[in-house]
Amino acid sequence: MTSSQQRSLSFGAEAAAYERGRPSYPPEAIDWLLPPDARDVLDLGAGTGKLTTRLVERGLSVVAVDPIPEMLEVLSQSLPDTPALLGTAEEIPLPDDSVDAVLVAQAWHWFDRDRAVKEVARVLRPGGRLGLVWNTRDERMGWVKELGRIIGHDDASDHEVTLPEPFTGLEQHQVEWTNYLTPQALIDLVASRSYCITSPTEVRTRTLDKVRELLATHPALANNSGLALPYVTLCMRATLS
């Protein structure tokens, strides 16, 4: 198993922190990703259900697929009526032509692209939509830039994607928004990053201590019970020809 595969499967150890700390996705981004007539949607790499919840709220028929049982356990606690299946992007446990849209939040970069493209094309109905979305922290602001220095910068260029045939008409869109969270949720956000989970204990402890120090000393954060963390959400969509 490559180190990237190990990191992609590491999130189970911090499933609860992932759920508490990770942001959701802005409605405008989801509107843009979904085709107007979508009914059946696959949330691929669904994790703890951050995006799944937003799709279910819209009255869509949603199936969640993820390779990590601990993540799906958290998802099923909050969405008991949503099918949550163990599976990967390279082997999706759904029949051919079964969904109108496949959405992938915060996960496409972990997949074997060529195998994933074939599988997504198999489960999508003709003319179906593949939508990819990533939240990246907007590091133009003082304390968020400092946070990036501690935990590694969030770089949108990491998510430059090309989608081969049979997908066409690749488009991109960005949404700027703000997530409001508690200081503890910020620590959970950092604790749920694959880099932090897979680091040796002393590195992990040092990183989290530096985040606590930032919370205690930065003028914009000290004595604040609520933090405003700005995000840029990067969306991409393509159509199955």
Side-chain angles (χ1 to χ4, degrees):
M1 190 184 285
T2 65
S3 67
S4 171
Q5 283 171 316
Q6 277 170 332
R7 279 178 60 192
S8 73
L9 295 171
S10 68
F11 295 110
E14 289 291 340
Y18 192 103
E19 175 56 25
R20 290 191 306 262
R22 295 289 179 122
S24 184
Y25 297 90
E28 187 194 321
I30 301 169
D31 289 342
W32 188 85
L33 288 167
L34 283 170
D37 52 355
R39 286 188 322 277
D40 303 306
V41 180
L42 165 61
D43 184 358
L44 184 58
T48 60
K50 286 283 173 186
L51 177 62
T52 325
T53 301
R54 294 282 168 264
L55 298 171
V56 170
E57 283 169 356
R58 288 164 178 253
L60 296 162
S61 169
V62 186
V63 177
V65 169
D66 198 88
I68 303 173
E70 295 91 336
M71 300 292 259
L72 290 180
E73 235 165 81
V74 175
L75 183 149
S76 292
Q77 280 162 16
S78 57
L79 299 169
D81 300 329
T82 299
L85 309 177
L86 268 177
T88 64
E90 297 79 16
E91 287 183 44
I92 300 172
L94 290 182
D96 297 1
D97 301 333
S98 55
V99 292
D100 304 309
V102 174
L103 297 194
V104 181
Q106 226 67 21
W108 184 260
H109 54 290
W110 297 119
F111 300 164
D112 175 329
R113 189 200 70 170
D114 294 339
R115 289 175 63 202
V117 161
K118 282 198 182 80
E119 273 292 88
V120 169
R122 179 184 68 75
V123 301
L124 271 177
R125 294 177 182 135
R129 168 83 51 83
L130 170 59
L132 314 179
V133 59
W134 287 272
N135 283 324
T136 60
R137 294 184 310 278
D138 184 346
E139 296 185 347
R140 290 174 293 195
M141 234 180 66
W143 76 269
V144 189
K145 193 182 279 186
E146 288 295 315
L147 181 68
R149 285 200 190 110
I150 297 169
I151 67 174
H153 292 294
D154 233 356
D155 189 358
S157 68
D158 292 346
H159 308 312
E160 281 169 5
V161 166
T162 54
L163 288 174
E165 289 287 334
F167 288 96
T168 59
L170 180 65
E171 296 175 273
Q172 289 199 18
H173 179 61
Q174 286 193 353
V175 179
E176 294 186 13
W177 63 291
T178 301
N179 188 41
Y180 296 93
L181 71 173
T182 62
Q184 181 55 49
L186 184 69
I187 291 174
D188 286 328
L189 170 68
V190 176
S192 75
R193 287 171 62 90
S194 60
Y195 157 77
C196 208
I197 299 169
T198 55
S199 292
T201 308
E202 61 273 19
V203 174
R204 181 181 165 75
T205 304
R206 194 162 62 235
T207 302
L208 293 172
D209 283 347
K210 281 184 187 163
V211 175
R212 288 189 185 94
E213 190 185 337
L214 177 71
L215 283 165
T217 58
H218 195 286
L221 302 178
N223 307 316
N224 265 357
S225 58
L227 316 177
L229 179 49
Y231 277 95
V232 177
T233 296
L234 181 67
C235 313
M236 298 182 194
R237 65 185 185 191
T239 302
L240 181 63
S241 56

